Amino acid sequence: MLEQQGMLASRISELNKQQDSLQEQPDISKITELREAYRDVGRDLLKLLFFVERNAIGLQKILKKFDKPFGYRSTDYYVKTTLIICIPNSSKFSSMW
C-alpha cells in the first residue's frame, strides 16, 4: 500500500510540473492528455482507498471475533485510534461497532 501511495504521489507531482509548463505555453491537445492523466490518477487513488477501507473493515471483524471469547476491547481501541487516522469519514465505521 505504501508503495502504491508513493507511486501516486510521484505521478501527481509529475502532472503538476506538466500543468505548470502548460500554463506558460497552452496546447489544447496536451491539456486534454493532462486531464485524462489526472483522471487516471484519480481512479487509481479510489482503488487504493477502497483497498484500504476493505482491509480496515476486515481487520475490525477479526478483532471483534478475537474480543468476544477473551473479553478484550481491541476493536474499540483500533476504531478510536488507527481507523480514524487512516480512513477519511471513518466515523461511519466507528458507529458500526
Side-chain angles (χ1 to χ4, degrees):
M1 180 183 82
L2 290 177
E3 183 179 331
Q4 290 293 324
Q5 181 181 356
M7 289 172 39
L8 286 171
S10 296
R11 285 171 57 194
I12 290 172
S13 176
E14 183 60 35
L15 292 174
N16 287 339
K17 290 176 188 174
Q18 290 176 19
Q19 182 179 0
D20 290 342
S21 69
L22 279 175
Q23 288 180 351
E24 295 169 7
Q25 297 177 346
D27 179 357
I28 287 293
S29 64
K30 291 191 183 222
I31 290 172
T32 303
E33 288 175 18
L34 185 62
R35 183 179 62 207
E36 289 303 315
Y38 271 116
R39 284 183 182 162
D40 289 341
V41 169
R43 282 186 211 104
D44 290 345
L45 182 57
L46 287 174
K47 288 178 190 176
L48 181 61
L49 288 172
F50 181 73
F51 173 79
V52 170
E53 178 183 357
R54 299 301 290 193
N55 279 297
I57 291 170
L59 184 55
Q60 276 185 298
K61 289 181 180 189
I62 291 168
L63 289 173
K64 189 174 181 181
K65 287 187 182 276
F66 177 77
D67 287 348
K68 210 175 223 179
F70 297 106
Y72 294 136
R73 300 189 53 87
S74 306
T75 306
D76 292 340
Y77 179 77
Y78 174 72
V79 169
K80 289 177 183 171
T81 58
T82 310
L83 186 62
I84 292 171
I85 294 168
C86 293
I87 299 179
N89 300 320
S90 61
S91 60
K92 69 178 180 181
F93 296 114
S94 60
S95 66
M96 291 172 50
W97 309 102

